[in-house]
């Protein structure tokens, strides 16, 4: 299938990044969100990011303007129904995703490929609640989308080969690299990354090291660009907890038990950068460790 039109459900951090790269690659993109303010902020962020690329001479002003002209927004979810490809990039809660698909399904065109940007939830289970499990896939972008080169492609048990090949071609057109992952909890990247972050939180919880010493140790001792606690704040502690719960529930292994300190931070509403507090406090000029 030759995909030309793309719908993005959710105008948050992932949604606006996905819209950015698709528009830049020549696709016509329609974004939707339940919040009009989120849609406005998302378009403004995409424009600012593209402006930065023009300033750095990564693209021309004409390329920037052409990309922006390909992005439209709507507050009506069903406006995405006749597009070639729909990417759900809403919050990492399965009930929310099911509700989105249930509203879309009666209006979807027969050819539309339906995908989820979920970072951990079963693709087979999501697909089973739709009328097109053969044209349903996991389409997992990394954050921040314009910078990160990888896209995980996850087939459900019923996904057909034509759908997989279509999305593989889309990833190539975006200038990114795809990796095929089997449909098991958290797929590849988060199956490996999240337990490392969770173990860093246990290391903090048990008093083995401070926030600063843990992050410094991994940056300088393992050559990581960001420390694990800094990275957790960037991802969002609520997202980290949700993925750890999927791993723990789906694989029934105690090694995936979320650290109680992670749960406590989420209960406090300290979710990282997006709430200005997590393992660091971001309310001042320089981030300050909170423990």
């Amino acid at each position: 299938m030759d995909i030309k039109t793309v719908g993005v459900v959710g105008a948050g951090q992932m949604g606006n990044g996905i819209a950015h790269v698709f528009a830049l690659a020549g696709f016509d993109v329609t974004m939707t969100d339940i919040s009009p303010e989120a849609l406005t902020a998302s378009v403004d962020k995409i424009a600012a990011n593209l402006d930065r690329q023009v300033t750095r001479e990564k693209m021309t002003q004409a390329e920037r303007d052409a990309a922006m002209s390909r992005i439209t927004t709507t507050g009506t979810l069903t406006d995405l129904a006749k597009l070639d490809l729909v990417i759900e990039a809403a919050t990492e809660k399965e009930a929310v995703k099911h509700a989105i698909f249930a509203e879309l399904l009666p209006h979807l065109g027969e050819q539309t490929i339906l995908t989820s940007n979920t970072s951990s939830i079963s693709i087979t289970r999501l697909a089973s609640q739709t009328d097109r499990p053969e044209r349903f896939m996991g389409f997992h972008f990394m954050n921040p989308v314009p910078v990160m080169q990888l896209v995980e492609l996850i087939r459900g048990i019923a996904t057909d080969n034509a759908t997989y090949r279509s999305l593989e071609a889309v990833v190539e057109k975006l200038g990114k690299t795809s990796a095929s992952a089997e449909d098991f909890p958290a797929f590849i990247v988060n199956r490996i990354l999240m337990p490392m972050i969770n173990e860093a939180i246990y290391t903090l919880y048990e008093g083995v090291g401070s926030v600063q010493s843990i992050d410094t140790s991994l940056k300088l001792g393992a050559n990581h660009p960001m420390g694990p606690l800094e990275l957790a704040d960037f991802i969002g502690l609520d997202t980290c907890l949700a993925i750890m719960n999927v791993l723990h529930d789906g694989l029934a292994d105690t090694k995936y038990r979320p650290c109680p300190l992670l749960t406590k931070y989420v209960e406090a509403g300290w979710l990282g950068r997006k709430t200005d507090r997590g393992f660091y406090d971001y309310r001042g000029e320089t981030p300050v460790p909170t423990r």
Side-chain angles (χ1 to χ4, degrees):
M1 179 180 175
D2 185 18
I3 294 170
K4 295 180 179 178
T5 57
V6 179
V8 180
V9 183
Q13 191 173 30
M14 295 303 295
N16 75 62
I18 292 168
H20 173 142
V21 298
F22 270 92
L24 198 55
F27 296 89
D28 291 325
V29 182
T30 304
M31 297 180 67
T32 187
D33 196 282
I34 57 173
S35 166
E37 294 78 16
L39 283 172
T40 300
S42 188
V43 172
D44 289 345
K45 184 172 183 179
I46 293 169
N49 287 338
L50 290 172
D51 286 341
R52 193 175 300 115
Q53 289 180 279
V54 172
T55 301
R56 294 174 179 173
E57 299 184 347
K58 301 290 186 182
M59 70 176 69
T60 66
Q61 185 68 39
E63 289 170 331
R64 177 263 186 214
D65 293 343
M68 288 303 300
S69 73
R70 297 186 191 106
I71 299 173
T72 58
T73 63
T74 177
T76 305
L77 178 63
T78 52
D79 286 348
L80 276 57
K82 302 304 179 184
L83 304 180
D84 299 328
L85 169 65
V86 174
I87 305 167
E88 172 274 312
T91 185
E92 193 69 354
K93 294 180 180 177
E94 190 164 348
V96 172
K97 297 179 187 299
H98 283 308
I100 289 167
F101 297 142
E103 186 175 343
L104 265 176
L105 286 174
H107 308 278
L108 283 180
E110 184 180 345
Q111 87 290 349
T112 301
I113 294 175
L114 196 53
T115 68
S116 176
N117 184 57
T118 179
S119 52
S120 61
I121 298 170
S122 167
I123 299 304
T124 297
R125 193 164 64 240
L126 289 174
S128 71
Q129 301 299 306
T130 76
D131 64 350
R132 61 196 64 223
E134 71 285 349
R135 290 194 302 284
F136 190 102
M137 269 190 63
F139 203 26
H140 182 214
F141 289 81
M142 306 295 121
N143 185 32
V145 181
V147 175
M148 302 298 279
Q149 289 300 303
L150 183 72
V151 182
E152 284 183 316
L153 297 181
I154 307 102
R155 303 188 213 211
I157 197 169
T159 305
D160 65 27
N161 199 50
T163 298
Y164 178 84
R165 295 302 175 199
S166 292
L167 292 189
E168 195 176 41
V170 166
V171 174
E172 187 173 347
K173 189 172 180 182
L174 293 176
K176 296 187 181 295
T177 300
S178 61
S180 181
E182 293 299 317
D183 186 23
F184 290 103
F187 319 129
I188 295 173
V189 173
N190 284 318
R191 172 74 176 266
I192 297 167
L193 176 63
M194 284 302 159
M196 184 198 75
I197 288 175
N198 194 53
E199 193 62 30
I201 300 169
Y202 266 115
T203 305
L204 176 66
Y205 176 61
E206 294 168 3
V208 179
S210 66
V211 168
Q212 193 150 12
S213 63
I214 291 166
D215 277 351
T216 298
S217 294
L218 268 293
K219 283 191 283 190
L220 301 184
N223 205 27
H224 290 190
M226 297 173 72
L229 302 176
E230 182 186 5
L231 180 57
D233 276 357
F234 181 76
I235 293 167
L237 303 191
D238 53 340
T239 300
C240 293
L241 179 59
I243 295 170
M244 287 308 303
N245 280 327
V246 166
L247 281 166
H248 191 234
D249 295 344
L251 298 172
D253 192 322
T254 55
K255 73 180 180 179
Y256 299 116
R257 183 172 70 96
C259 180
L261 184 60
L262 173 59
T263 302
K264 191 62 65 181
Y265 269 66
V266 172
E267 288 174 344
W270 291 19
L271 308 181
R273 285 185 174 272
K274 60 187 172 185
T275 59
D276 287 331
R277 276 193 293 188
F279 292 111
Y280 292 85
D281 188 326
Y282 300 93
R283 293 174 296 176
E285 289 186 16
T286 304
V288 178
T290 54
R291 288 179 81 86

